Amino acid sequence: DTGVSQNPRHKITKRGQNVTFRCDPISEHNRLYWYRQTLGQGPEFLTYFQNEAQLEKSRLLSDRFSAERPKGSFSTLEIQRTEQGDSAMYLCASSLGDSLYSGNTIYFGEGSWLTVV
Amino acid sequence: KNEVEQSPQNLTAQEGEFITINCSYSVGISALHWLQQHPGGGIVSLFMLSSGKKKHGRLIATINIQEKHSSLHITASHPRDSAVYICAVNYGGATNKLIFGTGTLLAVQP
């Protein structure tokens, strides 16, 4: 098992372009999270999938953002019409949810850095 | 005001010193996580606590549920411990999402 994998690790894009990030979670993990982190801050929750179902989206996730997990395995996070304020690191995390109300060890990817110029 | 507060925000220590990082949260939680983040991004889970104390090598984490407070201790600190240490909490519920503190930047000097 290679852990949580994210691609690309770094992306520089011009304002107005679309970008897509991919996350491959640990294979048996049914829970997948996207977080965003800006410099000097802790990560902020964006969205959560349980298997293929997107069960929660943060208000931070404007309509320019869309996330999918079509087969309950890998996930993509797309940002349309990027803005400079989207520059951040986008972190993916996964865990195995054996109970709805228990804390479980969460495994993080290395993150995908986005710079919008 | 962040729901999860850490102190100090920055900490410089000499190699060998005993280090304590504190975390306070505002409401009842199902679990608290201590995480380590090195420059470049990757986050590693150190501990997950719902009560009591856990120890792994030179790291010790404690939690006081009544006080809504947790501490991370590093004994015999080493320059390789230099990183950002982040406290995060689960409030449970259907998503179990984490709410993060802003982190403590630790620099251990040789």
Side-chain angles (χ1 to χ4, degrees), chain B residues 18-75:
Chain B
F18 180 83
I19 288 164
T20 297
I21 300 171
N22 296 298
C23 176
S24 298
Y25 52 92
S26 53
V27 296
I29 60 172
S30 65
L32 182 143
H33 301 250
W34 281 103
L35 309 159
Q36 182 191 56
Q37 185 172 35
H38 282 281
I43 293 178
V44 174
S45 177
L46 299 174
F47 295 103
M48 183 181 65
L49 295 163
S50 54
S51 64
K53 176 180 174 179
K54 287 189 175 179
K55 184 175 189 294
H56 185 259
R58 295 180 294 106
L59 302 177
I60 303 166
T62 63
I63 188 168
N64 184 320
I65 298 295
Q66 288 73 33
E67 298 285 324
K68 296 184 177 58
H69 180 269
S70 175
S71 294
L72 176 69
H73 305 286
I74 305 175
T75 61

Side-chain angles (χ1 to χ4, degrees), chain B residues 58-104:
Chain B
R58 295 180 294 106
L59 302 177
I60 303 166
T62 63
I63 188 168
N64 184 320
I65 298 295
Q66 288 73 33
E67 298 285 324
K68 296 184 177 58
H69 180 269
S70 175
S71 294
L72 176 69
H73 305 286
I74 305 175
T75 61
S77 59
H78 190 276
R80 65 175 174 265
D81 297 326
S82 299
V84 175
Y85 292 84
I86 306 174
C87 171
V89 299
N90 278 114
Y91 292 118
T95 64
N96 254 338
K97 66 188 178 191
L98 291 176
I99 307 299
F100 290 81
T102 54
T104 294

Side-chain angles (χ1 to χ4, degrees), chain A residues 39-53:
Chain A
L39 282 174
Q41 300 296 316
E44 296 173 295
F45 171 77
L46 291 180
T47 191
Y48 162 70
F49 289 87
Q50 184 160 315
N51 300 308
E52 67 276 9

